[in-house]
Amino acid sequence: MPDDTAVDTRPSKIMYVAEATAHGGRDGYVTSQDGQIELKVAMPPALGGDGNGTNPEQLFAAGFSSCFHNALVMVGRRSGFDLSGSTVAAKVGIGPNRHHGYGLAVALSVSLPVLDADVAAKLVEDAHAVCPYSNATRGNIDVTILLG
């Protein structure tokens, strides 16, 4: 039986669709339909590869950090704060899970140097509630947010 208290984070309307194609998996390349992305993909040395290219974890980290930062700037603006100089860095870890597959874990490091700690914490909480990456990963992977 579904949990009626769960928040439905699915989009009610699709406003944009990104398209990308992988060629060769983790040892190949990825392209986007619009030509903006043409990247060599390679296994990182920690997973037995040569590291001569980007990898899905780096791409996920780039997407999550930029999306979360945008959500943070948006909620800051709505609350009357200019978040110029703020940053969000993401670390995405990969490792085996208990089901003979692999899983991810994310750590976001948020820097809001000009704000009081309580205000910064509230803005981070609000951003985590609206960020599409946060909503997509909530309950699926561990996401840790460090405010510094």
Side-chain angles (χ1 to χ4, degrees), residues 5 15 23 30 48 148:
T5 62
M15 297 169 57
H23 309 264
V30 293

Side-chain angles (χ1 to χ4, degrees), residues 53-111:
T54 192
N55 60 66
E57 293 72 37
Q58 288 175 329
L59 296 171
F60 192 78
F64 205 153
S65 63
S66 63
C67 190
F68 193 90
H69 194 232
N70 191 71
L72 187 62
V73 168
M74 181 185 70
V75 299
R77 188 178 325 118
R78 287 179 183 169
S79 297
F81 297 102
D82 178 5
L83 300 186
S84 297
S86 63
T87 61
V88 176
K91 292 181 181 180
V92 174
I94 184 172
N97 64 26
R98 289 185 212 100
H99 306 287
H100 305 290
Y102 289 85
L104 300 175
V106 174
L108 298 176
S109 296
V110 179
S111 174

Side-chain angles (χ1 to χ4, degrees), residues 18-22 30-33 37:
E19 295 180 46
T21 303
V30 293
T31 59
S32 63
Q33 174 272 337
I37 296 175

Side-chain angles (χ1 to χ4, degrees), residues 120-147:
K122 175 66 171 133
L123 292 179
V124 166
E125 180 184 326
D126 291 348
H128 194 43
V130 300
C131 173
Y133 275 70
S134 293
N135 287 327
T137 59
R138 187 171 289 109
N140 298 311
I141 66 174
D142 289 335
V143 176
T144 304
I145 302 176
L146 308 167
L147 183 56

